[in-house]
Amino acid sequence: MRVPLSWLREYVDLPVTETGRDVQAKLVAVGLEVETVEQIGAGLKGPLVVGQVLTIEELEGFKKPIRFCTVDVGSANGTGEPQEIVCGARNFSVGDKVVVVLPGAVLPGDFAIAARKTYGKTSHGMICSTDELGMGDDGTHGIIVLPPEHEVGTDAIELLQLVDEVLDIAVTPDRGYCLSMRGVARETAIAYGLPLRDPALLDVPAPNAYGYPVRVSDPIGCDRFTARTVVGLQPEARSPIWMQRRLQKAGMRPISLAVDVTNYVMLELGQPLHAYDRTRIDGPIGVRRAEQGEKLTTLDGTVRVLDAADLVITDNRGPIGLAGVMGGANTEIADAAEGAHTTEVVIEAAHFDAISIARTARRHKLASEASKRFERGVDPQAAAAAAQRTVDLLVLLAGGTAEAGVTEVTAPSGPRTITMAADHPDKVAGVAYGRETVVRRLQEVGCDVYGQDELLVTAPSWRPDLNEPNDLAEEVIRLEGYENLPSTLPTPPSGRGLTDRQRLHRRVGRALAGAGYVEALNYPFTGEAVLDQLGLDAEDARRRTVKLVNPLSDEEPSLRTTLLPGLLGALRRNDGRGSHDLALFETGLVFRPTGQEAKPVRLPVDRRPSAEEIAALDAALPRQPRRAAVVLAGAREQAGWWGKGRPADWADSVEAARTIAREAGVDLTVRADQHAPWHPGRCAALYVTVDGEETLFGHAGELHPRVIKELHLPERTCAMEVELDVLERAVDGALQAPRISTFPVATQDVALVVGQDVPAADVERALHDGAGELLESLRLFDVFTGEQIGEGRKSLAYALRFRAGDRTLTVDEASAARDAAVALAAERTGAVLRGA
């Protein structure tokens, strides 16, 4: 909501010295989010005056039309002589009143004006457009042509209100009343402790039986509809400059007098209005739900297919407007610039259901100024006053006549009353405000308050967000100042720190960062499209998602079941921006529903939930394991003077899993597997031992080429994803620091020939078990296939390191341990010592 300070002063007598920054600080203190204060006309310096075009000479021989004009600016130029000006615009004629900037002036953007020779003539100044004066869009993009009643030589800076300050307020969904000057003025008056001149306090005639006929078929969707009629509008009447400037400063474009008046009143009172050309309405106005598949052409020229849940305004022909969102083209106010004229209008001021309007606007992807206000809550009691204000302005500015008929269709409703203990805000804030302060603050926001220790509070009609005692307590606290709340830090019990689980998660993050990975934090949302791109089967558990009621994006309406989509998206974005050598990681929760979750309970807010209530809420939640994932692409080791680099491959993703397992002191078993979205021949299943049984920990490897193509990823992209909760269960007691022996190591190499289908992990496990306690480590350093080995066979070369903690090993001891390892490998996997 853009709020011109000059307009705000009309309702609150602010001190003359108060600047926009001062008002911003006051409004922020009472809870409004004032994002910026725009200085309109900053640096503007006159002379800038009203002039009248005396002559126009068309200059020939140039690529574009050029006109040499003489303009009467009165005595503003010091001589009284006509001012000679060269201008390229063509939307003005001899006799028109225009805005002229004279030499010595400075326009916005530090644009100094001086006499200069151009197109063979000397131009002494400039005839101005709205863009050059920083006035905003007026729809013409041409020279400003003023009404003829303005005198030559009048100061245009004051006439056009070119110097002002505009507060830009981000209005939260619960503060919809602040989408109006009336609402912001109320908050300003409270902040300064000044009286408010409420623009909605108007004399409104009572409804009668001879107003324009209206039939409301859905009183839940529309609980109030006011209709007024004004006839005899002068077709040539234009919006006055003051109204156009207020609309422009508020971010709206002037269109025509009737439309400008409805927009102006909406900004002033917060009540969206619509003006219909009465000659284009066929019969009574109706309000009903649309029929499925009905069509309506809205004011933006789009033909919209309506849903049965849409609320529409109708006449005898069918829909003429999308209620609370946008009017229809078939009853649009005629545009005088196109030669058409509207002389009779029917003014609609209605109150529509907020949820219905929000769903319609989202369904049709049609956000408007009206829908934005109805979604957040509009004052239902302001409809009659807004209609009257519109009638008054049309009569005043367009010479119209208000018909005596007043239509008002209302559904029965009563005031909202809330019972609250007088000391409830004290308990919520931990501050002793006292009853008098509580009552005074509630009355300032418009509440009627009765009672002593138990207060009976009637919420004002413009505050639909006040529904329970905590809402009222919030009003008291914010007006008394959040900054005045005591800041008390909790004192944690001594001797406690991070849990083992927290320490493990932090160690994993540090280990991956130390291995060269960069952490990427992604949104926890996903959609069906990316799951299809990952090639997941229809029965894959990762397709069973938790759907959000109000997703941020319709393309990602669910909570993620895997970390890979977010990480791969981050990798794709970075690769597209020129970073081709990438190694990213993320740790976070995924959401795996089982389908057995119960309906969640609504927890109380006036007391601490019981253990049973918390347990019931936990039972309604999906399983939320914490996972870690990495993605790699490009070079894993850079080339340089030190030698050749190498690209990232599937082995690096497996090594990332080993890095995580080492941080927990857990042995990792790697086996070949086939699991989407990985390449079936380059996918590893990762296992750890939990309670004596091998448990799946995750997967790693190179992504399937189809997945890489679908997601537009670099070739040979690799990924790994593991479940840290499984790793935590695999930890056997406290992590033991390695013992460093002072005795030398004995290294023995063995090359074993096995079948092509024998996993290297099985051979490695057999060697490990057979070598016994003397084995310190073993490493696969070569894999060989060829004619020397035989078809369907491969050679695996391992380096075995032996060491004893209390002595130097002899050659015989090391050889015996190696032979025992080879023998067990031969027994389990059929391995044969190469060359034997």
Side-chain angles (χ1 to χ4, degrees), residues 352-419:
F352 300 112
D353 177 62
I355 295 176
S356 176
I357 300 305
R359 288 176 176 170
T360 295
R362 178 172 291 188
R363 187 180 300 116
H364 294 280
K365 296 180 172 60
L366 183 60
S368 64
E369 291 293 330
S371 67
K372 182 167 66 174
R373 285 165 173 79
F374 279 121
E375 288 174 16
R376 289 161 173 78
V378 169
D379 182 3
Q381 303 297 328
Q388 182 62 44
R389 176 70 165 146
T390 306
V391 168
D392 293 343
L393 287 172
L394 288 175
V395 170
L396 175 67
L397 302 176
T401 301
E403 289 194 347
V406 178
T407 302
E408 188 164 308
V409 180
T410 60
S413 63
R416 285 174 292 113
T417 58
I418 307 163
T419 301

Side-chain angles (χ1 to χ4, degrees), residues 287-428:
V287 183
R288 61 168 171 82
R289 296 290 171 176
E291 296 177 7
Q292 187 68 36
E294 265 188 311
K295 293 184 178 180
L296 168 68
T297 302
T298 47
L299 289 173
D300 57 359
T302 302
V303 178
R304 303 188 184 275
V305 179
L306 304 179
D307 187 90
D310 292 334
L311 197 65
V312 292
I313 310 299
T314 65
D315 64 5
N316 289 338
R317 297 166 297 177
I320 60 173
L322 202 53
V325 181
M326 185 174 286
N330 54 352
T331 56
E332 181 180 7
I333 298 295
D335 189 348
E338 298 177 359
H341 303 291
T342 293
T343 59
E344 300 179 3
V345 297
V346 177
I347 300 158
E348 165 206 307
H351 184 262
F352 300 112
D353 177 62
I355 295 176
S356 176
I357 300 305
R359 288 176 176 170
T360 295
R362 178 172 291 188
R363 187 180 300 116
H364 294 280
K365 296 180 172 60
L366 183 60
S368 64
E369 291 293 330
S371 67
K372 182 167 66 174
R373 285 165 173 79
F374 279 121
E375 288 174 16
R376 289 161 173 78
V378 169
D379 182 3
Q381 303 297 328
Q388 182 62 44
R389 176 70 165 146
T390 306
V391 168
D392 293 343
L393 287 172
L394 288 175
V395 170
L396 175 67
L397 302 176
T401 301
E403 289 194 347
V406 178
T407 302
E408 188 164 308
V409 180
T410 60
S413 63
R416 285 174 292 113
T417 58
I418 307 163
T419 301
M420 180 187 73
D423 61 349
H424 181 68
D426 302 16
K427 294 178 179 179
V428 173

Side-chain angles (χ1 to χ4, degrees), residues 11-28:
Y11 311 116
V12 184
D13 289 327
L14 294 172
V16 177
T17 57
E18 287 294 283
T19 66
R21 295 291 183 189
D22 298 329
V23 177
Q24 177 188 30
K26 287 284 190 178
L27 291 179
V28 168

Side-chain angles (χ1 to χ4, degrees), residues 179-196:
L179 286 172
S180 68
M181 293 300 303
R182 180 194 184 201
V184 176
R186 186 181 301 279
E187 292 295 316
T188 306
I190 294 172
Y192 279 90
L194 296 171
L196 168 71

Side-chain angles (χ1 to χ4, degrees), residues 362 525-526 547-559:
R362 178 172 291 188
F525 309 120
T526 191
K547 297 285 194 303
L548 298 173
V549 176
N550 55 341
L552 296 181
S553 168
D554 292 337
E555 296 179 356
E556 294 181 330
S558 306
L559 293 175

Side-chain angles (χ1 to χ4, degrees), residues 699-718:
H699 289 85
E702 183 180 315
L703 295 181
H704 198 290
R706 281 199 302 268
V707 174
I708 292 175
K709 182 179 179 180
E710 287 285 338
L711 293 175
H712 307 290
L713 299 172
E715 293 183 359
R716 312 300 290 270
T717 297
C718 300

